[in-house]
Amino acid sequence: MSNQPDRIIIFDTTLRDGEQSPGATLNADEKLTIARALSRLGVDVIEAGFPYSSVGDFEAVKSIAETVGTADGPTICALARATENDIKAAGEAIAPAIKGRIHTFIATSDIHLQYKLRKTREQVLETIPKMIGYATTFTEDVEFSAEDATRSDREFLYQVVESAIAAGAKTINLPDTVGYTTPEEFGSLIRGLKANVPNIEEAVISVHGHNDLGLAVANFLSAVQNGARQLECTINGIGERAGNAALEELVMALHVRRQFYNPFFGREPESEAPLTNINTKEIYKTSRLVSNLTGMIIQPNKAVVGGNAFAHESGIHQDGVLKNKQTYEIMDAESIGWTSNQIVLGKHSGRNAFGSRLRDLGYELSETELNKAFVRFKDLADKKKVVTDWDLEAIVNDETQQAPTIFGLELVQVSCGDNARPTATVTIRTPNGDELTDAAIGTGPVDAVYMAINRVVKVPNELIEYSVKSVTEGIDAIGEVTIRLRHEGNVYSGHAANTDIIVASAQAYINALNRLSAALQEGNKLNPQTATVAQ
């Protein structure tokens, strides 16, 4: 019996592996916002987190399962190491979802067995059926990953996979954990499984890969040609170290090159049927949302969603595109939801028009959130002649997707000039409701603001990144500020938008400090790859 789907299953791990990017920590509300966006995007499976890692992660996964895990929504998945405590937490967290999955894993490469797990191959083979069997008591949908599969001994890996399927795993995932393999090697690995694992047709073959050598997407496409039918990826390719395979690149490669990939699915080359369930028009919006909430800026030359992806500087290219877009563009910007045909709002636009446009852009706001965003919109409309969709997105993301409110920015005022010493005065609302004011001198206005905030907040940190960019063109454009702080080896990000770049800088810093403070209150959570399993 074959369980192979006739299309690609998109398994999104932005909320789990993506969040392991340094500084990309998300709170529960932000995770839920991204999960809703992923559902609109059309992903098949959302890996919502690692519930055993912390109480906060458990509650976030449970909330996503309750809210997004509907009958017509995606499967909600939780990660668990191959231990009873991990699996129990995962099973309880996904319980509210109509379709829930437990994704359990154990390392299979000799280097991981010797130095991380300190287990023998025999012990691993003994653990796998027990833990998969335990996982099936919570859900029939169990996925098993052989961590570091691409550096594992092939014959041992075949034994592991056969055992996992026999124990009840419906999906077998082959992670390129350290981004080590090449496209031909990945394809060969899958061919080897299909030739040497007798029950392989009873499970869906999945791949997970990192981009350490810049080969993640190429590796996945090779895997597809050789029989992989689930791709584990993240929005914008965020993730550990150099990141994961990028969802938008994989989806658009399969979309643009359908004629090439169709035969691998038994289809006629000319078939127009999509190879994934992704609504490509939601790609750009989802990409921007994830970038804003994680503080992970998208490089301008990033494929598909980068700022230069559809820009042409060369006169020859510009001339060709004006005559026929297909001369130098293999896909339309509109196909990923990036359109220049934006509806323009102004200071005379009412609340209904504002709310209607936000719904058209895919935002689902509560009455309170809508009211807060509308106040910001009216304030912006008084300062700018026209307000574009990009401005609206910046307003909504800035106003409704904030970090935990521990410290609040009540006032920021600066004095600077050519022959003056930059001075800043700030008023901060503390967690107990007091308003404290202090001032400081810095090397520039932003430095002075940050020095003044530090005098009040007194949370040790190191500023490691500060960036600013305009949302639209013109001197009245909204400026978006993203910063990253480091504290005891952990990185925390902050993001804010305002027509006043000093105010945006101050708010971004407060947001990052709030994330840092919240993390200190909650305590560090486990990383599934580096946490030691109790022996």
Side-chain angles (χ1 to χ4, degrees), residues 309-341:
F310 299 96
H312 300 276
E313 182 73 20
S314 162
I316 295 174
H317 285 212
Q318 290 173 345
D319 180 65
V321 169
L322 289 173
K323 291 174 178 174
N324 186 324
K325 280 188 176 183
Q326 293 183 346
T327 54
Y328 288 102
E329 288 185 2
I330 59 173
M331 55 188 166
D332 290 331
E334 288 81 1
S335 68
I336 64 164
W338 190 351
T339 175
S340 57
N341 299 324

Side-chain angles (χ1 to χ4, degrees), residues 46-60:
I46 295 176
E47 188 168 50
F50 176 32
Y52 188 72
S53 67
S54 70
V55 173
D57 223 38
F58 178 92
E59 293 299 332

Side-chain angles (χ1 to χ4, degrees), residues 120-132:
T120 64
R121 292 183 178 184
E122 290 71 24
Q123 287 174 310
V124 168
L125 285 171
E126 183 180 340
T127 298
I128 289 169
K130 290 180 181 178
M131 292 302 101
I132 291 177

Side-chain angles (χ1 to χ4, degrees), residues 23 194 222 291 419 422 453 456 474 476 478 492:
K194 293 172 78 72
S222 174
S291 175
N419 295 307
I453 291 174
V456 175
D476 60 353
I478 286 180
Y492 304 89

Side-chain angles (χ1 to χ4, degrees), residues 273-326:
L275 290 172
T276 73
N277 276 345
I278 296 297
N279 176 3
T280 63
K281 290 185 181 296
E282 292 286 330
I283 285 177
Y284 179 71
K285 182 167 49 188
T286 309
S287 165
R288 186 169 167 79
L289 175 68
V290 170
S291 175
N292 285 340
L293 294 186
T294 60
M296 304 289 288
I297 297 172
I298 303 168
Q299 66 195 61
N301 62 328
K302 168 77 171 64
V304 182
V305 293
N308 293 344
F310 299 96
H312 300 276
E313 182 73 20
S314 162
I316 295 174
H317 285 212
Q318 290 173 345
D319 180 65
V321 169
L322 289 173
K323 291 174 178 174
N324 186 324
K325 280 188 176 183
Q326 293 183 346

Side-chain angles (χ1 to χ4, degrees), residues 40 190 516:
R40 288 193 298 270
I190 293 172
L516 168 54

Side-chain angles (χ1 to χ4, degrees), residues 404-461:
T405 304
I406 298 174
F407 297 99
L409 179 67
E410 298 298 318
L411 176 143
V412 57
Q413 187 172 323
V414 298
S415 173
C416 61
D418 198 17
N419 295 307
R421 300 185 70 183
T423 306
T425 302
V426 299
T427 299
I428 305 295
R429 187 183 66 256
T430 64
N432 59 12
D434 295 335
E435 291 189 2
L436 302 180
T437 300
D438 213 325
I441 296 171
T443 57
V446 174
D447 182 54
V449 168
Y450 287 4
M451 297 277 281
I453 291 174
N454 284 338
R455 288 169 63 92
V456 175
V457 174
K458 294 182 172 62
V459 176
N461 70 85

